[in-house]
Amino acid sequence: MSECLQLLDKALDLGQRELELLSAGMVEQTEETAHQRGAILERAWQAKEREAVDVDALMGKLRQLKSLQGQLTREARSLHKSLEEDLARSRKERGRLSGYRQATRIVPTASRFVSKRG
């Protein structure tokens, strides 16, 4: 198997790992994995130019990568939507709780402007 196809297999494995991390909500690790996958794809592209690669095998790997990228995009959008919903819920809760602030505030019974001597 050529170096290009081996690198593409490695990129597919990293993409699967990236999808698992994204599903688990581990965004920082997902970002690292995505950068690694991008570097490997760049190396694979350079290797493709240096050697003769079976076009059918290359197309098959590229189609798999395209499908994987679609899955990653869907999962990222789903995560983004859930984060938006959580933020909206948090804002609503903060507004609700701030309404109780005045009700629970302790008001002094004597004013500092009123003389205590009479």
Side-chain angles (χ1 to χ4, degrees):
M1 185 182 280
S2 70
E3 180 186 3
C4 175
L5 295 177
Q6 289 175 348
L7 288 171
L8 289 176
D9 281 336
K10 197 176 205 181
L12 282 168
D13 291 340
L14 275 175
Q16 288 297 328
R17 173 78 178 132
E18 188 179 342
L19 187 59
E20 292 169 3
L21 289 170
L22 196 58
S23 296
M26 303 168 120
V27 179
E28 290 83 17
Q29 293 89 346
T30 303
E31 182 180 6
E32 291 175 21
T33 308
H35 286 297
Q36 291 173 357
R37 185 170 55 99
I40 288 174
L41 286 173
E42 185 64 35
R43 286 179 32 212
W45 191 255
Q46 291 171 357
K48 177 198 73 71
E49 294 175 354
R50 289 192 307 264
E51 61 188 33
V53 180
D54 181 27
V55 176
D56 293 331
L58 181 64
M59 288 299 292
K61 300 287 182 192
L62 291 176
R63 285 188 180 114
Q64 289 175 351
L65 281 167
K66 179 183 173 187
S67 172
L68 181 64
Q69 185 63 42
Q71 291 174 347
L72 285 166
T73 302
R74 281 190 299 277
E75 188 64 34
R77 285 187 178 149
S78 172
L79 182 61
H80 183 264
K81 185 178 178 183
S82 70
L83 285 173
E84 276 183 338
E85 291 170 354
D86 287 347
L87 283 173
R89 194 176 318 112
S90 174
R91 283 188 205 108
K92 192 174 182 179
E93 183 71 10
R94 185 182 63 202
R96 186 181 71 80
L97 291 175
S98 69
Y100 291 117
R101 185 178 339 159
Q102 288 188 350
T104 59
R105 188 174 293 161
I106 299 173
V107 180
T109 56
S111 173
R112 63 182 179 151
F113 299 111
V114 176
S115 173
K116 294 181 182 178
R117 292 186 189 170

